[in-house]
Amino acid sequence: MSGEEKVVCVTGASGYIASWLVKLLLERGFSVKASVRDLDDPRKTEHLLSLEGAKERLHLLRADLFEEGAFDALVEGCEGVFHTASPIAFSANDPEAELIEPAVKGTLNVLRSCVKVPSIKRVVITSSTASIWYNGKPLNSDVVVDETWFSDPVYCEQNKLWYILSKTLAEKAAWQFAKENGIDLVTIHPGISIGPLLQPTLNVSSEIFMNFIKGRAQKFPFPAYTFIDVRDVAFAHIQAFEVPSASGRYCLVGNVLNSYETLKILKELYPASSLPEECEDEKALLPKHQVSKEKAKSLGVNFTPLEVSFRDTVESLKEKGFIDI
Ligand SMILES: NC(=O)c1ccc[n+]([C@@H]2O[C@H](COP(=O)([O-])OP(=O)(O)OC[C@H]3O[C@@H](n4cnc5c(N)ncnc54)[C@H](OP(=O)(O)O)[C@@H]3O)[C@@H](O)[C@H]2O)c1
C-alpha cells in the first residue's frame, strides 16, 4: 500500500520520535498534519519544515494537550492518527500536573477529537515499555517480557515512578475509551529510543545515552537499558497503521543491556575516546530480562543492529555539539 494522497496526523511532531515519524511519512508520500505547541519557536519547527516533501505535504498546526478540542482541526480529514505527544521527565515537583494530567487527559482529548471524524480508520498511540513491565515481578535472565505484561499503577505510585505511571494510566484510559467508542487502536511500546536526532534540542532518551559518554550513567532510574533505534520506532508506527491485521500492543525493544555492557560496546566502537573507565552505576552488572520481538517482527520490523544505533547516536550528538569524544 502506498501513502500517496493519504492524509494522516501526528501529535507532538517537534519531538524526537515524532520528527522521524513525520520524515518517514513524507518519504512514503503521505500528507501530514502535524501538531506543535509553539509555531513561533524555530527549534520546534525548522527541522520539520526542512524535511523532503514538507513544502508540499506538511501542515503544522498549534495544539496543546491540555486544551479540550485542540485536536479537532488536526484530525479533521485524516485516515490515520499518530498520537505521540506526552511529557517525559524522571522527576517532577507536581507529578499530577506535569506528567499524569497531560498524558491521560491529553490522550483522551485526542481520542475525543478522533471520534468526531468518520474518515479515521486507525489510531496509533506511542505508549512505552513503561506501561509494560513495572509491576514488581522479578526481572531476571529467565524472564521474557511480552505484550501480555501490564505495569501496575499502585506499584508505580508506591515507588514514585511518575512518568511510568503517566504512561500506564494513559494507555489504560486509551484502551477503555477505544473500546467504548469503537476506535481501532494500536499501541506501540518502545524501549529507550536512540539513533540520530533530527531536532536541534536534546530529548530525554538521547540524554540518557549521552550520560554514559559523560560518565553519569548512575542517574538512570531503571534496572536495565532496553534500547531500540528511533528509526525502527517510526517505521513500526507506520506499519501499525498500514498493516490491516495489526492490532493490540507491540513491544519494541532491540536489545536489553546492563550499564557495563553498554559502556563496553561504546568503548569498542570508540577505542581512542575518553569514555569513562568504569561504570559508576551500582546496577552495572545486574542480570537482565529479555523482551519478546515476535509481535514487532510480524509488523515487518527488522531491528537495526545495536552497533549501528550506537554509532549513529554518538555521531549525531557530536555533530549537534552535545558531546566531544
Ligand atoms: N524517547 C524514548 O526513549 C521513548 C521511549 C518510549 C516511549 N516514548 C514516548 O514517545 C513519545 C515521544 O517521546 P520523545 O522521546 O520523542 O520525546 P520528546 O522529544 O520530548 O517529544 C515529546 C513531545 O510531546 C510534546 N508535548 C509535551 N507536553 C505537551 C503538551 N502539554 N501539549 C502538547 N504537546 C506536548 C512535546 O512538545 P514540545 O516540543 O512543545 O515540548 C514534544 O513534541 C512520548 O509519548 C513518550 O512517552 C519515548
Side-chain angles (χ1 to χ4, degrees):
M1 215 191 293
S2 120
E4 231 163 296
E5 290 171 34
K6 279 190 202 162
V7 183
V8 294
C9 69
V10 177
T11 68
S14 314
Y16 176 53
I17 290 175
S19 298
W20 271 102
L21 178 56
V22 171
K23 177 176 163 58
L24 263 54
L25 286 164
L26 290 172
E27 283 171 4
R28 287 201 184 186
F30 285 90
S31 281
V32 183
K33 295 173 81 178
S35 81
V36 296
R37 265 197 288 189
D38 185 355
L39 285 170
D40 297 324
D41 184 348
R43 292 172 312 157
K44 303 290 179 182
T45 55
E46 264 178 14
H47 65 286
L48 296 173
L49 294 169
S50 63
L51 292 171
E52 197 155 336
K55 209 166 147 243
E56 302 80 27
R57 287 176 282 109
L58 178 65
H59 311 279
L60 299 185
L61 286 90
R62 204 200 74 81
D64 193 293
L65 289 170
F66 286 105
E67 284 170 35
E68 184 112 29
F71 294 91
D72 285 1
L74 185 83
V75 303
E76 182 63 45
C78 290
E79 276 188 50
V81 173
F82 298 94
H83 174 45
T84 81
S86 207
I88 309 183
F90 293 119
S91 65
N93 294 325
D94 183 347
E96 182 65 36
E98 292 168 40
L99 292 165
I100 294 162
E101 207 178 315
V104 179
K105 284 198 181 159
T107 298
L108 292 175
N109 269 346
V110 172
L111 292 177
R112 271 190 215 104
S113 296
C114 293
V115 175
K116 301 175 198 163
V117 179
S119 61
I120 294 172
K121 295 193 174 129
R122 184 170 285 165
V123 178
V124 179
I125 292 183
T126 319
S127 188
S128 169
T129 47
S131 70
I132 300 268
W133 53 281
Y134 290 86
N135 49 25
K137 281 195 216 169
L139 287 168
N140 52 43
S141 48
D142 300 332
V143 172
V144 181
V145 170
D146 65 19
E147 288 80 3
T148 62
W149 281 54
F150 287 87
S151 293
D152 174 9
V154 176
Y155 176 85
C156 294
E157 204 163 347
Q158 278 166 351
N159 291 283
K160 299 188 168 37
L161 299 168
W162 305 121
Y163 166 69
I164 291 156
L165 181 62
S166 78
K167 296 302 284 183
T168 303
L169 295 178
E171 191 206 346
K172 209 169 153 47
W175 282 114
Q176 175 81 21
F177 188 92
K179 199 171 152 205
E180 286 167 6
N181 293 278
I183 292 177
D184 182 351
L185 175 68
V186 174
T187 55
I188 304 290
H189 300 257
I192 302 166
S193 304
I194 55 168
L197 290 79
L198 296 174
Q199 84 283 5
T201 50
L202 200 59
N203 66 296
V204 170
S205 56
S206 306
E207 191 180 358
I208 289 170
F209 189 81
M210 189 184 75
N211 282 342
F212 265 106
I213 297 159
K214 296 198 165 178
R216 302 195 297 235
Q218 75 277 13
K219 293 207 170 150
F220 185 60
F222 306 143
Y225 293 82
T226 53
F227 289 119
I228 179 72
D229 195 291
V230 66
R231 293 160 289 196
D232 298 341
V233 178
F235 176 78
H237 278 72
I238 301 177
Q239 292 297 95
F241 168 63
E242 289 272 64
V243 175
S245 60
S247 76
R249 310 165 92 209
Y250 289 86
C251 288
L252 216 52
V253 172
N255 294 85
V256 187
L257 269 64
N258 59 35
S259 307
Y260 174 80
E261 292 164 323
T262 307
L263 194 57
K264 186 165 174 278
I265 295 172
L266 276 168
K267 282 184 176 174
E268 279 162 12
L269 287 171
Y270 292 91
S273 72
S274 55
L275 280 161
E277 275 312 306
E278 276 180 28
C279 221
E280 291 173 39
D281 189 349
E282 75 277 9
K283 302 182 288 267
L285 282 166
L286 278 182
K288 71 270 165 182
H289 60 287
Q290 294 305 316
V291 179
S292 171
K293 291 181 176 170
E294 293 317 305
K295 241 192 128 186
K297 282 184 185 162
S298 76
L299 277 185
V301 176
N302 287 317
F303 290 85
T304 302
L306 188 68
E307 286 73 13
V308 174
S309 303
F310 272 29
R311 193 181 288 279
D312 290 354
T313 315
V314 172
E315 293 306 317
S316 179
L317 289 169
K318 270 164 69 177
E319 188 216 306
K320 292 190 185 269
F322 293 117
I323 53 168
D324 179 18
I325 64 167

